[in-house]
Amino acid sequence: MKPFQKCPFLFGRLAARDNFIDRIEDRALLKQLLSSHVNTMLVSPRRWGNSSLVRMATDELCTEQPDL
Ligand SMILES: Nc1ncnc2c1ncn2[C@@H]1O[C@H](COP(=O)(O)OP(=O)(O)OP(=O)(O)O)[C@@H](O)[C@H]1O
Ligand SMILES: [Mg+2]
């Protein structure tokens, strides 16, 4: 890679929008639980994308159901 060329990989930040891939079923389930007012806890090893999943799911929910 040439110096100063933009790095295509994301480090040190939550994955969001175009950087967020997959997690289709997890995202759908989390959104269903949250919109049904079910308290939900995610359990996984560190750095497996928990915060990014929650951020993405809540962003989508807020857009889809602004009154939630
Ligand atoms: N869905 C995703 N698509 C692409 N990259 C992802 C995704 N989820 C996470 N990542 C990558 O993994 C990194 C860690 O994600 P994140 O901070 O969401 O994990 P975490 O489980 O909350 O970590 P921590 O244990 O530090 O709280 C992100 O910076 C990003 O590079
Ligand atoms: Mg986290």
Side-chain angles (χ1 to χ4, degrees):
M1 191 181 346
K2 290 180 196 160
F4 309 119
Q5 194 172 346
K6 198 165 178 266
C7 176
F9 302 106
L10 177 78
F11 297 101
R13 283 188 288 129
L14 299 189
R17 291 183 285 277
D18 292 347
N19 290 308
F20 188 96
I21 57 164
D22 210 12
R23 292 279 155 91
I24 292 165
E25 286 150 29
D26 293 337
R27 220 186 314 170
L29 176 58
L30 184 56
K31 285 163 65 178
Q32 185 192 337
L33 292 168
L34 293 176
S35 64
S36 309
H37 300 245
V38 177
N39 287 328
T40 304
M41 181 182 291
L42 301 186
V43 179
S44 91
R46 287 216 62 197
R47 307 305 288 166
W48 276 26
N50 289 304
S51 298
S52 300
L53 175 64
V54 172
R55 168 67 66 78
M56 195 68 183
T58 51
D59 282 356
E60 286 180 355
L61 260 186
C62 289
T63 307
E64 291 162 16
Q65 303 180 40
D67 56 330
L68 189 71

